[in-house]
Amino acid sequence: MKRKTIRMRLAEAVRRRRAAAVERLHALRDTSDAMLLRAEEGPRRGTRKRAGVLALTAFAGLAGMFVAVSQDVLAVNFTTANSAYKVYTDKVSGLNAAGYINVQDLYGSTDKAVAQLGFKTATLNGLCAIAKQNLPVLGDVSLLVTAGEPVDGTLTNPTGQAIAAQQLYLASDNLSGTGDQIAKLTLGQSADTLMMDTIPFAGTPGAFGLQAQTLNVSNLDADSYGIDLQGQINLPNLKIRVLPGAKTKADCAS
């Protein structure tokens, strides 16, 4: 009974932290909306200026989130996206992993069934995230976020370029890669009993769950509806770029 009470308290603490992160994300979005409104109230110079303001305010919101991360105030949290974006890494080496099927809350759209995968600790050999959007007049643009070593299919492990994350969560409906060095894997565990070492990661009682002490995935390619970082992360060689056109994995190494 005492152990169950501790789990419930830990789960409630995790829920509170996630709710606080979402509230901060909404505040950033509201700030961007206010910036856009002020821009539209000023002199109008056509649709191109408005599209440029849209791109700049979106960029400002994302940059603000990474500033908050550096100040250890806000976790990286893109869990309100209503369309998938691509996430690539040459390898993720995870310890104390767990996963289950869940409903992802999407902003202004129908909810999505996804696999929720969590790692107590994870080391990434490179990170590349690509979000695409079509803007009036400008057409297709891509937000390209890269960090660590280039994501090019080769593990070079340069000094100081490894990305280390704590309590990393990924929501995806399509993930591929090569699993290796998997240890103490349990498939079909009741989702409400899942633990990432001492951290609860609970789903629906009786639903399918998996748990592993070690879970490594090489050449990870995921369609993500949410990256949620509840702990800390280092992002060496971080680059955030808004580029014309629909970018692909081939652009991750540039």
Side-chain angles (χ1 to χ4, degrees):
M1 180 63 71
K2 183 177 180 181
R3 184 177 179 182
K4 183 177 181 180
T5 301
I6 293 173
R7 286 187 179 181
M8 291 175 64
R9 289 178 179 174
L10 288 173
E12 180 61 28
V14 170
R15 284 193 292 269
R16 286 198 298 269
R17 292 190 64 182
R18 288 182 178 175
V22 171
E23 287 178 2
R24 294 188 182 99
L25 186 61
H26 287 175
L28 286 170
R29 188 186 68 244
D30 292 342
T31 300
S32 296
D33 290 344
M35 292 170 61
L36 179 58
L37 180 60
R38 288 195 295 270
E40 289 179 334
E41 289 174 346
R44 294 178 179 265
R45 294 190 177 92
T47 307
R48 183 178 296 274
K49 179 178 178 181
R50 184 178 185 277
V53 172
L54 277 167
L56 287 174
T57 52
F59 176 83
L62 181 63
M65 284 191 289
F66 278 98
V67 169
V69 170
S70 68
Q71 297 171 346
D72 197 23
V73 174
L74 176 65
V76 177
N77 190 309
F78 301 151
T79 56
T80 57
N82 60 2
S83 59
Y85 51 93
K86 298 296 295 187
V87 176
Y88 304 101
T89 179
D90 284 341
K91 186 174 183 179
V92 54
S93 303
L95 293 176
N96 299 301
Y100 60 90
I101 299 173
N102 193 30
V103 175
Q104 180 73 21
D105 294 330
L106 304 182
Y107 179 75
S109 183
T110 304
D111 291 345
K112 186 78 175 180
V114 296
Q116 295 278 4
L117 184 63
F119 300 91
K120 182 181 180 183
T121 61
T123 301
L124 286 73
N125 293 94
L127 173 66
C128 179
I130 302 175
K132 303 174 186 178
Q133 188 171 342
N134 185 275
L135 297 177
V137 179
L138 297 180
D140 289 336
V141 297
S142 297
L143 176 66
L144 190 67
V145 179
T146 58
E149 66 179 90
V151 179
D152 56 6
T154 302
L155 300 181
T156 56
N157 296 312
T159 302
Q161 293 298 300
I163 299 171
Q166 299 174 2
Q167 296 186 52
L168 177 65
Y169 302 89
L170 174 68
S172 175
D173 68 340
N174 186 14
L175 186 152
S176 62
T178 302
D180 58 73
Q181 297 178 342
I182 298 174
K184 295 188 177 180
L185 173 65
T186 302
L187 291 175
Q189 182 170 332
S190 181
D192 63 311
T193 66
L194 298 175
M195 298 283 290
M196 301 188 311
D197 192 17
T198 58
I199 301 172
F201 188 46
T204 303
F208 176 88
L210 67 87
Q211 192 169 289
Q213 185 180 77
T214 303
L215 180 60
N216 300 337
V217 181
S218 298
N219 298 314
L220 184 143
D221 177 342
D223 294 329
S224 176
Y225 282 87
I227 296 177
D228 191 359
L229 178 74
Q230 294 297 317
Q232 296 180 339
I233 190 171
N234 68 308
L235 293 170
N237 197 29
L238 173 65
K239 296 179 182 179
I240 305 173
R241 292 169 285 171
V242 178
L243 302 174
K247 299 305 179 182
T248 65
K249 186 178 180 181
D251 299 289
C252 290
S254 62

